[in-house]
């Protein structure tokens, strides 16, 4: 790692002020992506602002059909939360598929969403469930939040405080893992609320997580796997690497979407 | 059999320290005043070095030195060597390009060693390494095996303008061509044996130390063969004479071949320790391990099998191009030649075999022995050919194999090997039964109903372990003999130290070797200590690789035990006032035949040392004997592995359902440990078949340089294996044992690919058969089913 | 340099450290607790797993400073005196290790797994839970057996 100055604020306002003071600094949540990146010297923040002691940023609540998960809530907590399991089982299941047990014991939802890794799992849930990302400044709709690979609507000094997921009638997440890294090679989150269906795909898009309008339309007409017969996301614009070329990813999106619908229905 | 003797599944003596965190691996060792080395590595696959500017690095606080190829040259440090001479067909010697420990004028692969920074801490060394400015002229590079020797390919070493290290052959061409001329059927396959990265969980590490008073060097390192390391560092690289160089390989966290070799980093640590007059430590990170550990496999092969009308094999013809990387690593030249082609006969009667192997240079990491080393490649060729030939002529693959098995021994193949014993049909029968081969059709139909493709694949492998005898390997070009040493030191109280030249890095020698000694001397296994891995303690040895430690290392112990017994009987004769010929040794007691006069082993040991009962003129005091054992032949473990699996054609995901392994390792010392070796070997072989592949892009950049891109087999990818054994004791060593360390890795890749090709109904399934590969392969099967 | 203090295997330790210090470096280099190993750079091999406030964490992906005030247990702290933890004993009894390098991380992962999921673990669960622990020697067969047996023994000991 390159040298950095370490800060451990006790409150969100203190963290915001530190972030404002250190433009080349980074917020450290669980660190399960940031620290490996720094170890490999692919990132060299001047300052690390360790959020781990801001206890206000932990916790899960369910109210008025909305599951609100505070930013520093760990994946293991979401995966095992009786509230989340009851309200949106697909969300708990997704959290249980991130990384491995030790990573889930440390990694946080806020860190994952803020990083917007194109192969991360949570962005698909945010987008498909129509989540709202709340920061110290404002509330941002998921549709506006994710803006491309590692790009989000977050401004400098802005800290995610919680993420709210409206409860869906039906939802499911199907993950096809990258065989080596175990990140999502293709992950498809399908959610149905009333007549509306949202389908979000992670891992596959060269600009990060995205929705699939014609899948959504077809599923709104008939929420069955067969409704997706013959439909496919065009391979152009999808990632291609040694594990999966764009054509294979395009194929997997349809397969995973069908399986998600079957599991959700 | 006693509870701790030969044949008992004794729980391992070494485990206590490992399960309590008290193992002592190289990186756990710290010397007073220790400094840290970090290597500046080439980011280019091929480039000329115009200059190295270390001035900024040297100005940094805590930096002691930045050393380059010029310093190596000035100190006359010799280059790294390849210890096995291979001759081309025309009799010319292989073309070995110079291999300096730090590059001189040119870099030849990504990760090649350009300079080393020595600093007070690892972090400073790494920071400073980024400040070393290297002026490169990037040259065209080639990483591809098949095209390496084609006209116009970038030249890696001037000594080999066509990138050919050698063009070598084994067997006779004319009789083989004649066999093909009269064949009723010829099966032809194009095979790529994928490049692998060994990946022991402990990365390589070294601590070099120099004592100015005694002018002695010490190297602590992750080695499978510390004596060979010392020999090479002394005699060839010229760091220090052997009596001034101690090499210690403490606990070593796996090797799989990759820790046999004498690498640049370890060499530099010893050399630099004297230069900076401080101990120098280097620990590889995983990325460096991917870049610079010797890789394995990487063959491109054209293979043909000729059959007569009745399905009898007439001949085998193989042409292989083997990628040796950018430099010849320590034993690299032997792997695709003498460790490969002599195994092409498999378990079969093949009257004529002709193999040609071109070893080529590319701009990639050196390629050398990795678990199995040549034998997995050979087994893959013959077992794929057997499977495909059976399918082509409409025969059951199991019965086709049986028809062609070698059944009488000794059996001389056309490619050097003389198989000394075995019972191949027995292993096949047992495996077919355990795998419920007879009912595979029903299971396939059940899978098909679920839209899944089920396949079964057989691999009947043979391997050759414990390369020997020394005179024979010498005649084939080996630079060393492949014997083993043992020394038994009986202490006055009857405890025993066994000094062995074998090295345990997971194999459990501290237990199995102790079982042998305990069994033979009738003493508690707790009173036997196995000492290895230190050239100051063990005089000489050849180390552990090629599944040789049982067959060769333990045989040396047997020979030393014979001498101990003979000497002890003489002592007993004096103590019991009888002629040594009348002394019997049984169950830890020396007794006079036909009397009740006896002395136990511990008391006898004391008598040997107090030496009151005999004169030193007629019998030397003490009880310590040494032996060097040179085998008469290889050992030939063999067996049958059967893989049954199911592919989801929608995703290409494969699930291995059942793994059956029936192996003939001869007599077993510790069945628990043998089974463990088989498990691990299968996992690595399945890894090769399904998951692992080192991929370089066309510029020679390694795309799989971490676990983010190189898939290691995980627990969830694998299954519990069904293991059984047969036993035809090996006639070529006193214990009747064969090697077991590599069998799983040798047997399993063709079993997997034969099962996959069975499932998809065609032969076009390359390794690693990743989900993407299998999805594409399965589409053809799905289309075929739809068409029906 | 920044001050840090934590409890490691029951003992309070304090030091001034470079903020870059990872927990694994603190344990291995500062405290000379070398049972915790480093096998990769990408948080995947699990050789470095220790318990931080009861959670199994990858100590190569945790800053030592983040652990200020925490309770750490490493492989060296698992046995009670000379009495092995049931999971340690199960690894030996079932030949769940060969070279021993991944073993500390395996055992620490397994112990926490039992705490989370109980003593009755089926093979599938154990294999899935080892997602973050690599072993190159054993093919996992005996590790899976060892964890199942160790879990039962932990359950029996807790009763």
């Amino acid at each position: 790692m390159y040298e950095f100055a370490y800060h451990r604020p006790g409150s969100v306002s203190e963290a915001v002020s530190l972030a404002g003071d250190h433009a080349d600094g980074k917020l450290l949540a669980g660190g399960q992506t940031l620290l490996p990146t720094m170890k490999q010297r692919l990132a060299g923040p001047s300052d690390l602002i360790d959020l781990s002691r801001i206890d206000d940023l932990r916790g899960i609540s369910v109210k008025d059909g909305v599951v609100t998960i505070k930013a520093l809530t760990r994946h293991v907590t979401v995966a095992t939360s009786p509230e989340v399991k009851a309200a949106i089982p697909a969300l708990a299941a997704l959290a249980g598929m991130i990384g491995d047990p030790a990573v889930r014991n440390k990694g946080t939802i806020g860190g994952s969403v803020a990083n917007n890794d194109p192969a991360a799992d949570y962005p698909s849930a945010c987008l498909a469930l129509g989540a709202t990302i709340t920061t110290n400044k404002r509330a941002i709709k998921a549709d506006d939040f994710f803006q491309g690979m590692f790009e989000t609507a977050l401004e400098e000094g802005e800290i995610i405080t919680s993420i709210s997921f409206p409860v869906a009638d039906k939802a499911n997440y199907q993950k096809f893992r990258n065989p080596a890294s175990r990140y999502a090679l293709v992950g498809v989150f399908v959610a149905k609320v009333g007549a509306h269906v949202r389908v979000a795909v992670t891992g596959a898009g060269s600009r990060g997580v995205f929705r699939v309008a014609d899948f959504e339309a077809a599923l709104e007409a008939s929420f069955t796997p067969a409704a997706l017969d013959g439909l496919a996301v065009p391979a152009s614009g999808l990632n291609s690497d040694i594990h999966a070329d764009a054509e294979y990813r395009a194929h997997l999106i349809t397969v995973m979407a069908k399986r998600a619908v079957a599991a959700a229905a | 059999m006693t509870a701790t003797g030969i044949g008992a599944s004794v729980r391992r003596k070494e485990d206590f320290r490992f399960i309590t965190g008290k193992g002592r691996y190289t990186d756990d060792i710290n010397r007073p005043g220790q400094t840290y080395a970090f290597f500046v590595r080439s980011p280019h696959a091929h480039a000329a070095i115009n200059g190295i500017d270390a001035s900024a690095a040297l100005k940094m606080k805590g930096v002691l030195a930045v050393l380059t190829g010029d310093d190596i040259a000035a100190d006359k440090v010799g280059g790294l060597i390849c210890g096995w001479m291979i001759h081309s067909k025309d009799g010319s010697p292989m073309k070995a390009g110079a291999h300096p420990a730090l590059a001189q004028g040119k870099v030849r692969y990504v990760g090649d060693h350009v300079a080393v920074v020595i600093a007070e801490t690892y972090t400073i060394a790494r920071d400073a390494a980024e400040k070393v400015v290297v002026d490169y002229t990037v040259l065209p590079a080639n990483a591809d095996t098949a095209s390496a020797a084609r006209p116009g390919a970038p030249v890696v070493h001037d000594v080999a303008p066509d990138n050919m290290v050698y063009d070598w052959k084994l067997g006779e061409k004319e009789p083989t061509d004649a066999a093909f001329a009269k064949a009723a059927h010829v099966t032809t396959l194009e095979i790529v044996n994928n490049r692998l990265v060994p990946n022991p969980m402990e990365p390589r590490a070294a601590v070099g130390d120099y004592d100015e008073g005694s002018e002695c060097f010490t190297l602590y390192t992750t080695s499978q063969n510390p004596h060979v390391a010392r020999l090479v560092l002394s005699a060839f690289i010229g760091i220090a004479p052997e009596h001034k160089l101690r090499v210690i390989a403490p606990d070593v966290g796996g090797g799989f071949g990759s820790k046999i070799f004498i690498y640049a980093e370890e060499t530099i640590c010893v050399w630099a320790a004297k230069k900076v007059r401080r101990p120098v430590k280097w620990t590889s990170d995983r990325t460096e391990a991917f870049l610079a550990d010797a890789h394995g496999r990487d063959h491109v092969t054209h293979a043909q099998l000729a059959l007569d009308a009745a399905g009898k094999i007439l001949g085998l013809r193989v042409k292989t191009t083997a990628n040796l990387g950018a430099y010849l690593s320590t034993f690299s030249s032997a792997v695709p030649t003498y460790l490969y082609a002599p195994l092409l006969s498999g378990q079969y009667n093949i009257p004529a075999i002709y193999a040609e192997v071109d070893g080529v240079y590319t701009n990639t990491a050196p390629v050398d022995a990795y678990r199995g080393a040549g034998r997995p490649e050979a087994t893959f060729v013959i077992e794929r050919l057997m499977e495909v030939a059976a399918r082509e002529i409409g025969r059951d693959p199991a019965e086709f194999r049986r028809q062609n098995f070698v059944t009488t021994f000794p059996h001389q193949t056309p490619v050097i090997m003389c198989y000394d014993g075995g019972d191949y049909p027995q292993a096949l029968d047992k495996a077919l039964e355990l795998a419920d081969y007879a009912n595979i059709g029903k299971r396939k139909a059940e899978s098909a109903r679920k839209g899944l493709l089920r396949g079964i694949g057989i691999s009947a492998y043979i391997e050759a372990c414990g390369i020997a005898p020394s005179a024979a390997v010498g005649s084939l070009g080996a630079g060393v003999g492949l014997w083993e040493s043992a020394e038994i030191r009986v202490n006055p109280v009857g405890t025993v130290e066994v000094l062995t030249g074998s090295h345990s890095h997971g194999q459990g020698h501290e237990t199995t070797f102790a079982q042998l000694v305990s069994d033979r001397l009738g003493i508690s296994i707790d009173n036997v200590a196995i000492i290895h891995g230190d050239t100051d303690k063990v005089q000489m040895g050849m180390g552990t690789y090629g599944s040789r430690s049982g067959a060769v290392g333990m045989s040396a112990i047997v020979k030393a035990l014979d001498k101990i017994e003979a000497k002890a009987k003489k002592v007993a004769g004096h103590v019991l006032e009888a002629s040594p010929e009348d002394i019997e040794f049984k169950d830890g007691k020396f007794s006079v035949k036909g009397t009740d006069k006896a002395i136990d082993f511990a008391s006898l040991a004391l008598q040997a040392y107090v030496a009151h009962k005999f004169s030193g003129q007629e019998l030397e005091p003490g009880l310590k004997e040494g032996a060097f054992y040179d085998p008469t032949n290889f050992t030939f473990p063999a067996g049958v592995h059967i893989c049954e699996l199911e592919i989801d054609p929608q995703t290409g995901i494969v699930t291995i359902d059942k793994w059956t392994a029936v192996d003939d390792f001869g007599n077993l010392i510790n069945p628990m440990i043998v089974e463990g070796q088989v498990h691990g070997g299968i996992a690595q072989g399945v890894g090769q078949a399904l998951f692992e592949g080192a991929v370089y892009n066309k510029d020679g950049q390694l795309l799989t340089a971490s676990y983010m891109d190189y898939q290691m087999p995980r627990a969830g990818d694998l299954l519990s294996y069904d293991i059984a054994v047969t036993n035809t004791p090996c006639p070529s060593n006193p214990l009747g044992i064969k090697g077991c360390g590599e069998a799983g890795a040798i047997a399993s890749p063709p079993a997997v690919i034969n099962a996959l090709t069975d499932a998809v109904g065609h032969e076009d399934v390359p390794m690693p058969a990743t989900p993407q590969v299998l999805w594409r392969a399965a589409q053809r099967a799905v289309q075929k089913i739809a068409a029906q | 340099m920044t001050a840090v203090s934590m409890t490691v295997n029951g003992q309070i330790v304090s030091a001034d450290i470079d903020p870059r210090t990872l927990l694994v470096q603190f344990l291995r280099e500062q405290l000379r607790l070398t049972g915790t190993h480093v096998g990769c750079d990408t948080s995947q091999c699990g050789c470095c797993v220790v318990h931080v406030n009861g959670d199994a964490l990858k100590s190569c992906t945790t800053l030592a400073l983040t652990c200020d005030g925490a309770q750490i247990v490493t492989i060296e702290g698992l046995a009670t005196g000379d009495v092995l933890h049931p999971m340690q004993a199960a690894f030996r009894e079932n030949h769940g290790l060969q070279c021993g390098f991944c073993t500390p991380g395996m055992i620490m992962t397994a112990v926490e797994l039992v705490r989370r999921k109980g003593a009755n673990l089926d093979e599938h669960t154990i294999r899935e839970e080892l997602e973050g622990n690599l072993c190159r020697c054993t093919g996992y067969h005996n590790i899976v057996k060892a964890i199942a047996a160790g879990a039962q023994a932990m359950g029996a000991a807790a009763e």
Side-chain angles (χ1 to χ4, degrees):
Chain A
M1 280 191 263
Y2 293 111
E3 270 188 285
F4 58 82
Y6 176 81
H7 312 273
R8 197 160 56 207
S11 68
V12 172
S13 58
E14 201 187 327
V16 168
S17 135
L18 281 164
D21 292 347
H22 304 288
D24 294 328
K26 278 251 181 208
L27 301 171
L28 175 67
Q32 299 303 286
T33 303
L34 180 58
L35 291 175
T37 311
M38 289 172 65
K39 279 165 62 182
Q40 291 178 84
R41 301 192 165 208
L42 300 171
S46 63
D47 295 73
L48 264 195
I49 301 158
D50 183 350
L51 305 176
S52 64
R53 301 306 157 94
I54 307 178
D55 291 333
D56 292 353
L57 289 182
R58 286 194 188 84
I60 295 170
S61 60
V62 182
K63 205 175 140 193
D64 303 332
V66 174
V67 176
T68 299
I69 304 176
K70 290 190 179 173
L72 285 189
T73 307
R74 300 176 304 156
H75 307 319
V76 64
T77 311
V78 177
T80 56
S81 156
E83 294 89 345
V84 179
K85 281 178 164 175
I88 315 176
L91 186 60
L94 174 147
M97 291 183 214
I98 299 171
D100 59 56
V103 167
R104 295 195 285 274
N105 278 341
K106 193 88 164 69
T108 68
I109 188 169
S112 171
V113 170
N115 191 44
N116 191 20
D117 187 303
D121 299 289
Y122 267 129
S124 69
C126 292
L127 206 53
L129 290 165
T132 299
I133 291 99
T134 304
T135 74
N136 58 310
K137 288 185 184 165
R138 56 189 169 139
I140 309 168
K141 286 282 174 203
D143 285 303
D144 303 323
F145 183 84
F146 300 105
Q147 301 189 339
M149 202 185 283
F150 298 108
E151 297 285 329
T152 68
L154 289 172
E155 292 163 2
E156 269 182 30
E158 190 170 15
I159 296 178
I160 298 176
T161 53
S162 68
I163 299 160
S164 302
F165 298 90
V167 172
D169 300 332
K170 292 173 178 176
N172 189 263
Y173 178 61
Q174 292 288 320
K175 178 176 182 174
F176 190 98
R177 287 175 172 82
N178 175 313
S181 72
R182 286 344 206 219
Y183 274 84
L185 192 87
V186 167
V188 180
F189 202 112
V190 174
K192 183 172 189 295
V193 183
H196 296 290
V197 174
R198 291 165 70 109
V199 178
V201 177
T202 189
S206 56
R207 300 196 64 249
V209 65
F210 64 92
R211 286 173 62 186
V212 189
D214 55 348
F215 282 23
E216 292 176 356
L219 292 170
E220 285 179 357
S222 163
F223 195 73
T224 59
L228 298 176
D229 281 348
L231 294 183
V233 170
S236 61
L238 297 184
N239 293 328
S240 224
D241 55 37
I242 57 170
H243 304 288
D245 60 21
E247 186 199 6
Y248 180 45
R249 275 190 164 88
H251 165 79
L252 285 176
I253 290 170
T254 305
V255 172
M256 292 293 117
K258 285 184 175 185
R259 290 183 181 183
V261 171
Chain B
M1 184 177 91
T2 67
T4 60
I6 290 174
S9 287
V10 179
R11 300 306 184 256
R12 298 200 321 171
K13 292 181 68 175
E14 47 271 80
D15 283 355
F16 184 81
R17 66 177 185 273
F18 295 131
I19 57 180
T20 55
K22 302 211 171 63
R24 191 161 177 260
Y25 300 88
T26 300
D27 188 55
D28 301 341
I29 291 167
N30 295 292
R31 304 293 301 157
Q34 175 176 293
T35 64
Y36 296 82
F38 191 87
F39 284 84
V40 177
R41 294 178 185 276
S42 173
H44 306 296
H46 199 191
I49 300 174
N50 305 316
I52 299 172
D53 179 1
S55 54
L58 284 165
K59 278 184 203 133
M60 289 175 66
K61 189 167 178 277
V63 173
L64 280 80
V66 179
L67 304 171
T68 69
D70 288 346
D71 299 294
I72 292 270
D75 279 11
K76 299 194 167 47
V77 175
L80 307 180
I81 61 151
C82 178
W84 198 305
M85 173 53 71
I86 299 296
H87 290 90
S88 289
K89 289 175 198 141
D90 65 4
S92 62
M94 68 184 186
K95 293 166 184 157
H99 190 184
L102 293 171
Q104 292 171 349
K106 213 175 167 195
V107 285
R108 293 182 172 84
Y109 68 101
V110 172
D112 203 352
H113 317 73
V114 176
V116 63
V117 179
I118 316 283
E120 295 289 347
T121 68
Y122 170 82
T123 306
I124 295 172
R126 188 164 178 178
D127 287 345
E130 289 189 6
K131 298 274 196 294
V132 175
V133 182
V134 185
D135 178 17
Y136 294 105
T137 299
V138 176
L139 302 170
N142 173 54
D144 179 55
T145 309
S147 57
R150 285 182 197 151
V155 178
V156 181
H157 288 280
D158 294 342
V159 295
D162 53 1
N163 290 323
M164 289 279 276
V165 182
Y166 47 69
D167 65 323
W168 174 89
K169 69 156 179 85
L170 188 66
E172 297 300 325
K173 185 169 190 305
E174 287 72 26
T176 309
D177 286 346
F180 275 83
K182 64 179 180 190
H185 181 85
V186 173
T187 292
T188 302
L189 279 180
E190 309 300 329
I191 290 170
V192 174
N193 203 290
N194 44 324
R195 177 183 277 245
L196 305 175
V197 184
N199 274 303
M201 291 319 299
E202 179 205 25
R204 284 190 293 127
V207 184
D209 201 350
Y210 179 67
D211 181 76
E212 293 190 17
S214 63
E215 300 177 309
C216 284
F217 291 86
T218 303
L219 171 64
Y220 302 86
T221 189
T222 48
S223 175
Q224 299 176 219
N225 45 347
H227 293 88
V228 177
R230 184 180 65 160
L231 175 66
V232 171
L233 287 167
S234 297
F236 297 96
I237 302 178
I239 301 275
E242 278 172 294
H243 66 295
K244 297 281 188 186
L245 174 59
R246 178 182 188 184
V247 179
I248 299 174
D251 284 330
V252 173
F256 315 112
S258 71
K259 291 172 181 170
I260 299 171
F261 321 121
I262 290 75
Y263 289 93
E265 293 89 348
E266 291 86 332
T267 303
I268 294 294
C269 283
V270 199
W271 166 69
K274 187 176 176 187
K275 283 202 93 71
V276 302
R277 305 170 83 163
R278 304 258 300 269
V280 176
K281 182 180 205 171
W282 168 77
T283 304
S284 173
D285 65 26
R286 185 56 62 185
T287 302
E288 289 181 283
F290 273 102
L291 293 174
D293 283 7
H295 293 180
R297 320 280 193 255
D298 202 340
H299 287 195
V300 174
T301 294
H302 172 79
Q304 291 186 299
L305 191 69
L307 307 178
D308 71 12
K312 286 292 283 182
I313 303 172
L314 297 173
L316 170 64
R317 201 153 53 190
V318 174
K319 166 85 199 211
T320 290
T321 304
N323 190 342
L324 297 174
Y327 300 97
L328 296 185
S329 172
T330 316
F331 288 111
S332 59
S333 55
V335 175
T337 51
Y338 288 111
L339 297 183
Y340 168 66
L343 272 298
L344 284 168
S345 193
Q347 299 187 354
Y348 311 107
N349 259 308
I350 307 182
I353 299 178
Y354 180 64
E356 292 180 319
V357 179
D358 292 347
V360 296
Y361 283 121
T362 60
N363 297 109
T364 63
V367 180
D368 206 323
Y370 166 62
R371 201 172 196 167
R375 290 151 290 168
E377 296 92 317
T379 302
F380 195 79
V381 169
I382 186 66
E383 283 308 287
R384 284 290 294 136
L385 281 170
M386 293 302 288
E387 189 76 22
V388 174
R391 290 170 186 168
E392 285 178 352
I393 62 171
R395 294 279 304 280
D396 175 81
E399 294 316 308
F400 175 63
R401 283 180 171 86
R402 189 193 305 278
Q403 179 191 358
N404 285 287
F405 275 156
V406 170
T407 49
T408 54
F409 298 91
H411 172 81
Q412 178 63 52
T413 73
V415 279
I416 300 177
M417 294 302 180
C418 182
Y419 300 166
D420 55 4
D423 185 345
Y424 309 144
Q426 188 195 3
L428 180 66
D429 289 341
K430 197 163 177 175
L432 292 175
E433 189 193 331
L434 287 171
D436 190 20
Y437 186 75
N439 290 308
I440 181 65
K442 277 186 217 160
R443 299 195 293 279
K444 281 185 178 177
E446 275 166 42
S447 295
R449 273 196 292 280
K450 292 183 283 182
L452 303 172
L453 305 170
R454 180 171 289 271
I456 196 162
I458 297 174
S459 170
Y461 75 97
I462 184 166
E463 65 151 321
C465 302
I467 313 177
S470 297
V473 298
S475 74
L476 302 179
V480 290
L482 288 165
W483 42 264
E484 196 47 88
S485 79
E487 185 179 322
I488 313 248
R489 297 178 183 169
V490 179
N491 296 314
V493 292
T495 59
V496 173
E497 284 146 25
V498 179
L499 288 76
T500 169
S502 298
H503 185 279
S504 184
H505 32 279
Q507 294 86 346
H509 297 170
E510 289 172 45
T511 305
T512 49
F513 288 16
Q515 282 179 256
L516 164 62
V517 174
S518 151
D519 199 281
R520 176 75 183 266
L521 299 182
I523 60 175
S524 163
I525 195 169
D526 296 328
N527 288 341
V528 183
I530 306 299
I531 292 162
H532 67 93
D534 183 342
T535 61
D536 264 14
K537 293 181 179 167
V538 180
Q539 182 238 337
M540 189 57 197
M542 295 311 298
T544 289
Y545 40 83
S547 308
R548 67 191 305 273
S549 296
V552 190
M554 290 181 94
S555 294
I557 295 174
V558 170
K559 205 173 161 190
L561 285 166
D562 290 343
K563 294 185 186 178
I564 288 282
E565 185 176 322
K567 169 83 183 282
K569 280 180 171 168
K570 288 183 189 166
V571 177
H574 286 281
V575 174
L576 302 174
E577 296 172 333
S579 154
E581 292 79 52
D582 292 333
I583 303 292
E584 273 182 340
F585 181 53
K586 212 180 151 207
D587 299 331
K589 268 201 171 64
F590 295 87
S591 52
V592 182
K593 275 180 207 160
T595 74
D596 59 357
K597 288 204 287 185
I599 180 169
D600 66 25
F601 182 77
S603 307
L604 185 282
L606 186 63
Q607 288 297 333
Y609 284 93
V610 299
H612 292 167
K613 304 275 189 186
F614 52 91
S615 89
Q617 281 65 49
E618 56 182 316
L619 187 63
E620 285 180 27
L623 197 51
K624 181 184 95 164
E625 297 289 347
F628 286 77
Y629 172 79
D630 200 345
T632 55
N633 195 355
F634 291 76
T635 74
F636 296 98
V640 172
H641 286 219
I642 299 179
C643 170
E644 185 171 335
L645 47 74
E646 204 171 49
I647 302 169
D648 176 351
Q650 288 294 304
T651 59
I653 297 254
V654 59
T655 308
I656 300 179
D657 230 44
K658 188 170 169 63
W659 194 283
T660 308
V662 178
D663 298 293
D664 179 356
F665 298 130
N667 295 332
L668 307 184
I669 305 296
N670 183 323
M672 174 191 83
I673 285 177
V674 169
E675 283 180 18
Q677 289 292 313
V678 176
H679 298 155
I682 294 170
Q684 284 179 0
V686 172
Q688 165 159 32
L690 292 179
F691 313 134
E692 301 179 43
V695 180
Y696 284 93
N697 72 6
K698 64 175 175 39
D699 300 323
Q701 293 291 333
L702 183 61
L703 301 180
T704 51
S706 81
Y707 295 146
M708 295 296 280
D709 287 304
Y710 187 95
Q711 186 190 355
M712 288 279 279
R714 287 171 163 87
D717 300 323
L718 297 168
L719 72 164
S720 293
Y721 320 102
D722 295 333
I723 307 277
V725 292
T726 58
N727 181 6
T728 56
C730 176
S732 307
N733 63 59
L735 292 165
I737 61 178
K738 306 178 185 180
C740 65
E742 297 161 293
I746 292 168
S748 50
V752 175
I753 298 298
N754 287 340
L756 292 171
T757 50
D758 180 42
V760 299
H762 62 84
E763 305 302 334
D764 190 14
V765 179
M767 296 194 291
T770 62
Q772 174 169 241
V773 163
L774 289 175
W775 170 63
R776 293 224 153 81
Q779 292 322 295
R780 279 164 64 181
V782 171
Q783 282 154 13
K784 215 163 97 184
I785 292 165
Q788 287 163 3
Chain C
M1 302 297 260
T2 310
V4 69
S5 179
M6 62 186 89
T7 305
V8 179
N9 299 332
Q11 289 195 310
I12 296 172
V13 294
S14 303
D16 284 325
I17 58 171
D18 182 328
R20 288 179 278 186
T21 309
L22 298 164
L23 178 59
V24 68
Q25 292 170 320
F26 184 71
L27 295 169
R28 288 181 55 80
E29 292 162 24
Q30 203 95 19
L31 306 182
R32 296 285 186 239
L33 291 170
T34 55
T36 303
H37 298 146
V38 178
C40 77
D41 330 322
T42 49
S43 309
Q44 285 162 305
C45 78
C47 295
C48 67
V49 169
V50 301
H51 295 172
V52 179
N53 297 328
D55 292 321
L57 293 189
K58 293 191 164 167
S59 62
C60 77
T61 313
T62 306
L63 289 178
L65 287 175
T66 300
C67 301
D68 194 32
Q71 296 277 340
I72 315 285
V73 178
T74 71
I75 188 71
E76 290 92 342
L78 210 53
T80 311
D82 286 342
V83 181
L84 291 176
H85 185 281
M87 193 60 76
Q88 290 173 311
F91 267 70
R92 179 165 66 181
E93 182 58 27
N94 291 281
H95 190 29
L97 63 149
Q98 289 180 25
C99 83
F101 195 80
C102 75
T103 310
M106 286 283 178
I107 291 175
M108 299 309 283
T109 297
V111 168
E112 195 234 22
L113 163 60
V114 178
R115 287 189 197 141
R116 275 190 291 114
K117 298 214 159 170
N120 294 309
L121 298 171
D122 60 33
E123 178 173 345
H124 178 76
T125 302
I126 294 170
R127 288 182 179 274
E128 289 298 304
E129 289 282 334
L130 291 180
E131 177 85 10
N133 292 78
L134 297 177
C135 169
R136 193 58 153 169
C137 293
T138 64
Y140 303 100
H141 182 112
N142 284 340
I143 290 179
V144 172
K145 261 172 70 183
I147 293 176
Q152 290 293 326
M154 280 173 71
E159 274 167 17

